[in-house]
């Protein structure tokens, strides 16, 4: 009776059955209840209706049709004996029944330095390891089970593949991107945090004798997600908190500044493309037709597009710190602090419950 109630109300990963069981906890008389057990296991209203089930028994495999009948309802029989062969068979079934990893939040990073910036920012911090074929680090952020997934390389294609696989295999409620990006002069300065509201793809289009003619593709944040990010960024205590513990070296302070500082921009458009931009004139050309374009990178558009097409409705956003302007400030000097600022903002946003925007 206890078993029947349990399989009816709970989805188990694996069920191990016995044919003969004691009458009760007080009465050890052995009774055969396998018909009722099998019926309860495969009842169409049971939450464990499709759960893998195995029967470990001393029952003779040669008696009647009971093995055949159990196979008909997808219950595998393992013969128990004192020689121990059953152990290998049982181990194999246990390994095969391991559930796939599921996470509340997936954080996508294109660079190892972007992923490493999260160390010490959560409640736990795991080692780099492959999970479901992806390069991952597990961490706990408040009540949210989180995994950082790093792309095999930079660029739109790698980000699209990584994000799509993570969404399918981990089924998160939130997918977001953290890291560093370029800024458009006049719209963003070094270390500004760009929390993309709408992302364009700047290298989609057609080349002809007349030059390059772009196609206009963009993905915009969900209103509820954007509103939550605006709320997070409007906290006046947030920016000083993000700077706590960051000790900047001389080379990490932008020219003309005495100390590092930044603004959090939540209403900005950014642009993504597969090529690195390292020319000031090229940076300016991105702004043509894109009013108030603030930054550019190589991945955000793909993460947004993958989330938009996910089978399960998933919140998404990106927060990247400006570390170059495609011109005189192009280089690696500001990467360390940029990665840290972005990671800290993402963790702060996750802790506010942005993964639950549609449940509240």
């Amino acid at each position: 009776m206890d078993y029947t109630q349990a399989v009816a109300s709970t989805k188990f990963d694996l069920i191990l059955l016995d044919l003969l069981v004691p009458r009760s906890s007080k009465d050890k008389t052995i009774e055969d209840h396998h018909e009722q057990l099998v019926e309860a296991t495969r009842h169409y209203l049971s939450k464990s209706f499709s759960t893998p089930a195995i029967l470990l028994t001393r029952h003779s495999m040669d008696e009647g049709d009971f093995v055949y009948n159990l196979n008909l309802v997808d219950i595998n029989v393992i013969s128990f004996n004192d020689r121990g062969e059953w152990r290998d068979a049982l181990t194999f079934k246990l390994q095969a029944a391991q559930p796939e990893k599921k996470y509340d939040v997936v954080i996508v990073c294109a660079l190892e330095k972007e992923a490493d910036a999260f160390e010490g920012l959560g409640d736990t911090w795991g080692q780099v390891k492959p999970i479901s074929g992806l390069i991952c680090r597990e961490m706990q952020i408040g009540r949210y089970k989180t995994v950082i997934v790093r792309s095999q390389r930079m660029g739109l294609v790698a980000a699209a593949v990584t994000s799509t696989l993570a969404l399918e295999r981990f089924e998160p409620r939130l997918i977001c991107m953290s890291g560093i990006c370029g800024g458009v002069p006049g719209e963003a300065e070094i270390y500004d945090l760009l929390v993309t509201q709408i992302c364009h793809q700047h290298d989609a289009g057609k080349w002809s004798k007349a030059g390059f003619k772009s196609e206009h593709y963009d993905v915009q944040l969900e209103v509820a997600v954007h509103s939550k990010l605006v709320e997070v960024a409007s906290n006046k205590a947030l920016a000083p908190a993000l700077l706590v513990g960051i000790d900047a070296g001389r080379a990490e302070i932008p020219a003309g500044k005495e100390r590092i500082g930044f603004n959090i921009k939540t209403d900005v458009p950014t642009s993504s493309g597969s090529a690195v931009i390292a020319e000031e004139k090229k940076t300016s050309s991105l702004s043509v037709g894109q009013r108030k374009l603030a930054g550019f990178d190589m991945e955000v558009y793909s993460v947004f597009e993958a989330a938009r097409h996910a089978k399960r409705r998933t919140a998404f956003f990106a927060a990247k710190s400006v570390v170059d302007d495609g011109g005189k400030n192009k280089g690696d000097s500001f990467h360390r602090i940029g990665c840290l600022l972005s990671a800290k903002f993402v963790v702060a946003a996750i802790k506010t419950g942005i993964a639950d925007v549609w449940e509240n």
Side-chain angles (χ1 to χ4, degrees):
M1 290 179 63
D2 291 340
Y3 173 81
T4 299
Q5 293 173 0
V7 295
S9 59
T10 305
K11 175 67 171 72
F12 291 98
D13 300 314
L14 179 68
I15 293 172
L16 180 61
L17 285 169
D18 197 357
L19 286 178
L20 307 177
V21 295
R23 179 176 297 169
S24 70
S25 58
K26 296 180 179 179
D27 185 347
K28 301 303 180 181
T29 303
I30 300 298
E31 297 182 342
D32 184 350
H33 290 289
H34 81 274
E35 290 186 2
Q36 296 96 314
L37 292 171
V38 171
E39 182 180 353
T41 302
R42 291 298 181 241
H43 194 283
Y44 73 97
L45 292 178
S46 168
K47 288 192 175 181
S48 290
F49 172 78
S50 60
T51 294
I54 55 180
L55 181 68
L56 185 61
T57 181
R58 288 183 182 273
H59 196 285
S60 172
M61 298 293 105
D62 299 324
E63 293 183 17
D65 296 325
F66 99 98
V67 174
Y68 173 79
N69 292 334
L70 289 170
N71 283 332
L72 286 179
V73 291
D74 196 25
I75 296 177
N76 300 133
V77 179
I78 297 177
S79 178
F80 182 88
N81 56 51
D82 296 330
R83 295 188 301 275
E85 293 99 332
W86 58 272
R87 294 181 184 276
D88 290 338
L90 181 58
T91 298
F92 176 81
K93 295 299 294 185
L94 288 168
Q95 292 173 342
Q98 289 291 316
E100 289 196 17
K101 289 273 190 176
K102 305 298 180 188
Y103 297 93
D104 301 310
V105 177
V106 168
I107 301 172
V108 179
C109 294
L111 300 172
E112 186 176 357
K113 66 180 78 175
E114 295 172 338
D116 289 344
F118 284 89
E119 184 174 3
L121 301 183
D123 303 304
T124 62
W125 179 249
Q127 296 296 315
V128 175
K129 63 180 178 180
I131 302 176
S132 297
L134 297 168
I135 303 171
C136 300
R137 278 187 186 270
E138 294 177 300
M139 66 183 300
Q140 189 74 26
I141 300 177
R143 67 178 185 275
Y144 299 102
K145 187 178 180 182
T146 303
V147 63
I148 300 172
V149 181
R150 180 164 58 85
S151 296
Q152 294 282 356
R153 56 179 61 90
M154 298 186 297
L156 289 173
V157 174
V161 171
T162 299
S163 300
T164 300
L165 291 176
L167 286 162
E168 289 181 351
R169 295 172 182 178
F170 300 148
E171 298 182 1
R173 287 179 283 160
L174 168 69
I175 185 169
C176 55
M177 188 162 207
S178 173
I180 52 180
C181 67
V184 176
E187 298 297 337
E189 297 184 355
I190 297 297
Y191 293 138
D192 279 355
L193 269 172
L194 305 185
V195 186
T196 301
Q197 182 183 18
I198 183 170
C199 190
H200 310 279
Q201 183 183 355
H202 60 247
D203 60 359
K206 180 180 179 181
W207 283 100
S208 67
K209 292 181 179 180
F212 181 74
K213 187 175 182 180
S214 66
E215 291 283 350
H216 186 78
Y217 298 133
D218 62 63
V219 185
Q220 188 166 354
L221 288 187
E222 296 270 6
V223 173
V225 175
H226 180 245
S227 298
K228 187 67 176 178
L229 289 167
V230 171
E231 176 189 338
V232 173
S234 65
N235 183 351
K236 295 185 183 299
L238 179 61
L242 298 185
L243 288 171
V244 171
I246 294 180
D247 185 15
R250 181 181 295 275
E252 294 177 310
I253 300 176
K257 303 282 187 179
E258 295 183 358
R259 63 181 65 88
I260 64 171
F262 64 95
N263 294 305
I264 303 174
K265 298 177 178 286
T266 56
D267 298 316
V268 294
T270 64
S271 182
S272 297
S274 289
V276 175
I277 297 174
E279 182 185 351
E280 196 165 0
K281 292 181 179 179
K282 183 61 177 176
T283 303
S284 301
S285 70
L286 293 180
S287 300
V288 177
Q290 311 290 349
R291 184 173 179 269
K292 297 296 183 182
L293 186 71
F296 52 92
D297 83 317
M298 299 175 65
E299 297 88 18
V300 168
Y301 177 85
S302 289
V303 176
F304 282 17
E305 186 73 351
R308 190 170 70 90
H309 288 279
K311 178 174 66 174
R312 171 178 175 171
R313 191 181 187 190
T314 308
F316 59 90
F317 76 91
K320 289 199 170 188
S321 179
V322 174
V323 295
D324 67 66
D325 56 11
K328 63 180 181 180
N329 285 311
K330 182 72 179 175
D332 298 343
S333 299
F334 309 125
H335 286 198
R336 182 186 71 89
I337 291 178
C339 290
L340 285 170
L341 291 174
S342 175
K344 286 187 170 188
F345 177 86
V346 166
V347 169
I350 292 171
K351 286 183 176 179
T352 64
I354 198 167
D356 306 318
V357 289
W358 292 307
E359 298 178 12
N360 297 331

